[in-house]
Amino acid sequence: MTDNSTTRPRVALFVTCMVDTLQPGVGTAAAELLERHGVDVIFPEKQTCCGQPAYNAGYRKDAQVMARHFVDVFWPLVDEGSIDAIVAPSGSCVAMVKLQYPILFEATDEGYHWRAIQLGEVTYELTQYLVDFLGVLDTGAEFSGKIAYHPCCHLLRELRIDTQPRRLLAAMRDAEIVDLQGADECCGFGGLFALKNAEISTAMGRRKAHNLVASGAELVVMNDVSCMTHLNGILEHEGHSCRAVHIADLLNRRSESDGG
Amino acid sequence: MAVDVGAPYATRVRQALADDGMRTALDRATGHLKERRDRAMAEIDERRLRDEAGAVRRYAIERLPDLLEQLEANLIANGCHVHWARDAAEAVGVVLEIAREHEVGDVVKSKSMVTEEIGLNEALERSGIDVVETDLGEFIVQLAGESPSHILAPVIHKRVEDIAEIFRIRLNTPRTTSPAALCAAARRELRNEFLVADMGISGCNFAIAETGTICVITNEGNGRMVTSLPRVYVAIAGIEKVVRSAEDAVLLWQAATRNATGQNVSVYFSMSSGPRRRGDTDGPEEMHVILLDNGRSRILERGYADAALCIRCGACIDICPVYREIGGHAYGRTPYSGPIGAVLTPLLDYDIHAARDLPFASSLCGACRDVCPVKIDLPRLLLDLRSVVVERGASPVGERAAIRAYSTVMRRPAPYRALARLAGWLGPLAGLLPPLSTWKRDRGLPRFAARRFGALWRERVRDEEGAAG
């Protein structure tokens, strides 16, 4: 144990505020997946929100306040070498840290700009980290039924992560992955867009729900709790039985006989 | 019910979402255009076309003043009259002056968004001049007394059934939904207009600096008639339309049409390099070119040069999931809709308040950035504009306060935990409070966890330590 502990990757879980408060089980699943594949997971308890809601709504000063807090929580861990990576069960929040933090601090704060770039380089989305860094091809998960995969926009078009989650899903036992028409179209969440343009947002969501029903999927899997919450709200409101689940939950699902 | 382009944003959106006929039309047409684009792109090296087209446009925008001077000199050498217009009023004034000088009574136009931008048709009609749009879609929109809802397909918001009804009422066309029969009716109507018109007016897709040439892309041949049949031809070009060479223009022509309609190239590409010369069998007696600024210099000054790269192919509009739900009229009194419209409209306008909602009319899904043939980072521009709206104090007061409160809570762990606990404790009651009250109108309510992840983790660590000790 002590012997290989020095070679085990050490990861700080960036759980995201939405997982923390709405879907804590997704955080637990992410931690268990990482641990099961040989990672030492720590959870920096002072983390809050990355600031994306404010940033995307145009409130850069407010976003900076939150982004500074994020950097203050995670940067010392990277700087003192106590972690190798920051991993989040979200494409959107990772895109915020990796791609938007440098823009946010570019002209205003040299120190934070530099630290944000360093942090961005070691921040990964969960399935990306599992596949690209841990070489996981199969999480041993199983689910008997039809599932559809919805690539979340920021995961797909900001981070360009697509093959990793699909590969892990394809390895699942008993699961039938069905085609979803318009799979790569936005579900309509879009952060504050879901509130500021609620009617457009729900119209987009209903279109996605319609396609999901047509696909015959019982579950639609995705990598962001935000889109998942929006879609479940729509599916529930429209009276459909299909439900959105987070990929960490599904990949961590094991049969009883495995003994967990 | 049609969308009232003069109504406030929220009203326009509501009207658009309630218009089932329009949404069916948009669904059909945008789906069709996307398929054609996908097929056209699969045939070629899309990345190379984007790299080259982007480079050609960037070159032109970076050397804009030099290229414009070269363009002006070559247009004059070709026998054209060149007019510089700072804004819409100046451009309209120039056209009216030319019309007065030539005693123009009838004008035929080739589809042009820049003339929509400056309100040219209304101004000409106020001066007693008959204006006829000759692009089929634009002709239909004119018959219906509406404005275009898409830069390329002005009547994309109407189903063929709706168009048949307009033709029946306005042109006495027998009831038919055959596109060929409707086209034939429009052609009969328009043929005569071309013959009687005194003046032709077009926009400009590309203005070639090296040769002094105005290029107009059409599929119907109406552009060629407009630029060559009437005595006087007036082309109106935004100053950003200039390109270096004929080679560059041809490259952009391909990029534009492949992205717009999935064609290798459009059916017509009309290049006008001056009025009729001695010995020519046709062509206008006089050719005028109006180079219009109307906010474009300001776009460059304010650091939004990327927005000036646009070649108006409409690919970002066709792929936009927001546009598909609400259509172009929901963007207001602007010919530019979809993601590029949400960027250009507030930038061209002096008053950020007038178009302050548009940069927010996007879920930032990024589909537009991936299709743009000149690689405009539209989400980035939308985000930048959002921050401008906020900095200028044009965002709603309640929202400002809510975001401030949110960032104050989130900057420290203790208040954040307290709020999370409160939300978990409130449970479904949290749905009575904004913003969740807005959320739940058409959506089931999310439930805050009774115990947040952080609390579960702490417990787990304690258990592990207990087990170890």
Side-chain angles (χ1 to χ4, degrees), chain A residues 75-142:
Chain A
W75 166 253
L77 300 170
V78 173
D79 189 41
E80 71 199 20
S82 60
I83 57 168
D84 302 303
I86 299 164
V87 174
S90 162
S92 197
C93 305
V94 168
M96 176 70 191
V97 173
K98 280 179 99 80
L99 306 174
Q100 309 297 348
Y101 274 15
I103 294 171
L104 191 55
F105 290 121
E106 199 171 22
T108 53
D109 194 322
E110 216 174 293
Y112 276 90
H113 184 234
W114 180 76
R115 272 173 274 180
I117 290 171
Q118 305 283 312
L119 276 186
E121 281 171 7
V122 295
T123 303
Y124 304 95
E125 186 274 333
L126 176 67
T127 59
Q128 176 191 30
Y129 191 76
L130 285 171
V131 174
D132 294 350
F133 284 82
L134 301 178
V136 178
L137 300 174
D138 181 355
T139 61
E142 50 179 71

Side-chain angles (χ1 to χ4, degrees), chain B residues 63-86:
Chain B
R63 291 162 185 78
L64 196 60
D66 293 343
L67 287 179
L68 282 170
E69 280 179 18
Q70 190 187 6
L71 173 71
E72 180 187 33
N74 285 325
L75 283 168
I76 291 171
N78 289 342
C80 296
H81 301 265
V82 177
H83 312 263
W84 297 90
R86 250 173 308 200

